[in-house]
Amino acid sequence: MKRDLFTDDHEAYRDAVREFLKREVVPNWERWDDEHMIDRSVYVKAAQTGLYGLQIPEQYGGAGEMDYRYRMVVAEEIAKTGATSFAVTIAVQDDLVLHYLRDLTTDEQRERWLPPFAAGELIGALAMTEPGAGSDLRGIRTRAVQDGDDWILNGQKTFISSGIMADVVIVAAQTNPDAGSRGFTLFVVETGMPGFERGRQLDKIGLMGQDTAELFFRDVRVPAANVLGGVGRGLQNLMSHLPRERLGLTINAFAKARAIFEETRRYCADRVAFGNTLDSLQHVRFELAEMSTELDVAEAYVDKSVLAYNVDELTPTDAGKGKWYLTDLEKRVIDRCLQLHGGYGFMREFHVGRAYIDTRVETIYGGTNEIMKDLIGRELVQELHRHE
């Protein structure tokens, strides 16, 4: 079936994205994985090309383009290259950090942070997870205590994407232990603040080029000018940005699953076994048919979610449905694709093998899929009881 989501403008943008990736990413991403770090210079070039940060207002150096379909084009094209670590880093910047810096900042803060972000010169990170607090953000123990006009921040964060290279880190901290959900605040910690230290770059089993770190805050003095979104509004601000975060995870999962499937379909057409190509075997055709159908059905929900987000109608629950279903589908599709590749699927030089490892975390981060299902189920139950 013809896909009607994109216009000619989106396809023209796709051509520019594809050319950039061919020139700047494809020759380098395997080296980035081997070195466990992506060159910072590529973000400057990516920003100049418009690969991310499009929604930054023009007065701060962006395009002021709010259509999320452009973000989806980027996700689809990166997925075709196999550069998963680059895809995740772009997603962290565009689907997470930018929207906190754009939506929650004062005029003075926007003047400070948005122009260098739009230029690709400022890299950000979002620091929520702690050794004892993952999907349950109310378990955060990092603490900030007011001291005059400043705040003294103490605590530890872990599993922080882009934590090593980040110039600014948005940190969630408890500011009033007696205030319940209004006892948390977001702070922007900047490189060079005394007491802010980066621990080791964590040794992950996948996403080797995407740096992930432990962060430590020991009596970090954060000025009031670096409070983000208001004192006591940390949890509310986090919750308000869940649709964008979950949608980003959804589209990346779909893009990667579709890319690996298409690659596997071509492999089955070329690979000869028992005197004929793999796709001459009925079982293989059944596997391809099932995966193609599942992806086409899922595509309808993904596209619907993107359009709903564009008109500010995507709810956290609907975004959560996409997040758990698409990351779970991605995992199943890539596993089946690896099986169809046989021994070659277990080799790092094949995209399917790397994808099998790199995408495993996607059912975990951004809120585990078990948490997504519980949140969806609770809303279903509450909605029914509200109407009794």
Side-chain angles (χ1 to χ4, degrees):
M1 290 183 289
K2 183 178 182 295
R3 193 176 186 187
D4 296 323
L5 183 67
F6 300 113
T7 67
D8 290 343
D9 288 341
H10 296 111
E11 296 305 332
Y13 177 70
R14 187 186 300 276
D15 290 340
V17 170
R18 190 180 292 132
E19 179 58 34
F20 171 85
L21 295 172
K22 179 181 178 181
R23 183 178 67 251
E24 302 292 345
V25 175
V26 172
N28 295 307
W29 72 261
E30 292 189 66
R31 174 177 61 81
W32 295 337
D33 274 8
D34 291 339
E35 295 176 356
H36 303 304
M37 187 64 69
I38 298 172
D39 298 336
R40 278 193 69 117
S41 59
V42 76
Y43 299 110
V44 175
K45 297 173 183 176
Q48 291 172 345
T49 306
L51 248 71
Y52 72 103
L54 289 177
Q55 295 189 349
I56 295 175
E58 293 182 19
Q59 68 194 91
Y60 301 112
E65 177 56 69
M66 303 300 290
D67 185 350
Y68 193 78
R69 288 175 291 181
Y70 289 100
R71 171 76 187 93
M72 192 166 182
V73 167
V74 172
E76 290 181 346
E77 293 307 312
I78 297 177
K80 295 173 186 176
T81 71
T84 313
S85 293
F86 182 69
V88 170
T89 305
I90 291 294
V92 168
Q93 300 309 305
D94 217 24
D95 289 323
L96 291 175
V97 176
L98 171 59
H99 288 271
Y100 285 87
L101 296 183
R102 196 199 67 176
D103 299 344
L104 303 177
T105 40
T106 64
D107 289 342
E108 185 275 332
Q109 290 172 335
R110 283 191 283 274
E111 290 286 353
R112 264 198 289 162
W113 296 319
L114 288 186
F117 193 105
E121 298 167 354
L122 183 145
I123 301 297
L126 195 63
M128 307 299 153
T129 304
E130 299 181 2
S135 296
D136 180 13
L137 293 177
R138 295 176 192 272
I140 288 172
R141 292 291 175 264
T142 295
R143 184 91 184 271
V145 178
Q146 195 160 16
D147 182 36
D149 290 333
D150 300 334
W151 293 81
I152 307 301
L153 182 68
N154 282 281
Q156 177 183 353
K157 300 290 182 178
T158 193
F159 306 144
I160 307 307
S161 298
S162 302
I164 296 294
M165 70 166 60
D167 303 294
V168 298
V169 181
I170 300 169
V171 181
Q174 187 182 87
T175 48
N176 186 345
D178 300 319
S181 63
R182 294 194 171 274
F184 300 88
T185 302
L186 301 181
F187 298 89
V188 178
V189 176
E190 301 181 70
T191 294
M193 286 185 171
F196 170 37
E197 299 174 9
R198 303 170 208 264
R200 63 193 175 98
Q201 182 170 341
L202 299 176
D203 187 14
K204 310 187 299 293
I205 65 170
L207 294 176
M208 305 307 291
Q210 185 264 329
D211 76 274
T212 304
E214 295 176 316
L215 303 178
F216 300 93
F217 309 93
R218 298 185 174 95
D219 292 328
V220 180
R221 183 170 290 274
V222 183
N226 280 38
V227 170
L228 187 66
V231 175
R233 295 194 52 80
L235 278 185
Q236 288 85 347
N237 290 330
L238 290 171
M239 297 302 172
S240 69
H241 286 77
L242 288 177
R244 173 76 180 217
E245 177 183 3
R246 293 172 182 171
L247 180 59
L249 295 169
T250 298
I251 66 161
N252 275 299
F254 176 74
K256 175 57 73 175
R258 176 70 83 184
I260 294 299
F261 168 76
E262 292 297 341
E263 194 168 293
T264 301
R265 187 158 69 107
R266 291 190 294 271
Y267 176 83
C268 291
D270 295 336
R271 174 70 169 160
V272 175
F274 305 106
N276 213 331
T277 58
L278 282 181
D279 61 5
S280 68
L281 301 172
Q282 186 185 60
H283 173 75
V284 172
R285 293 199 302 272
F286 278 11
E287 288 284 310
L288 295 174
E290 289 178 12
M291 288 188 285
S292 177
T293 302
E294 287 183 291
L295 287 167
D296 283 352
V297 172
E299 181 182 278
Y301 190 86
V302 172
D303 291 359
K304 179 181 177 182
S305 297
V306 169
L307 295 177
Y309 178 81
N310 272 355
V311 293
D312 199 28
E313 292 180 357
L314 183 65
T315 68
T317 298
D318 288 341
K321 290 177 181 178
K323 189 273 178 186
W324 89 255
Y325 186 80
L326 266 298
T327 56
D328 194 71
L329 175 62
E330 172 194 32
K331 187 170 68 172
R332 289 188 284 111
V333 165
I334 291 175
D335 182 72
R336 294 168 81 178
C337 287
L338 190 150
Q339 187 73 18
L340 289 173
H341 276 76
Y344 288 108
F346 207 62
M347 300 296 108
R348 290 185 70 216
E349 63 261 32
F350 278 73
H351 287 172
V352 66
R354 289 178 183 257
Y356 180 80
I357 298 171
D358 286 347
T359 59
R360 180 59 185 85
V361 72
E362 293 184 16
T363 60
I364 298 171
Y365 64 27
T368 66
N369 283 4
E370 291 75 16
I371 293 292
M372 294 298 106
K373 293 176 188 179
D374 188 52
L375 294 172
I376 295 163
R378 270 192 274 169
E379 178 162 310
L380 289 171
V381 170
Q382 291 167 0
E383 182 181 28
L384 189 63
H385 287 300
R386 281 197 299 268
H387 291 90
E388 288 181 349

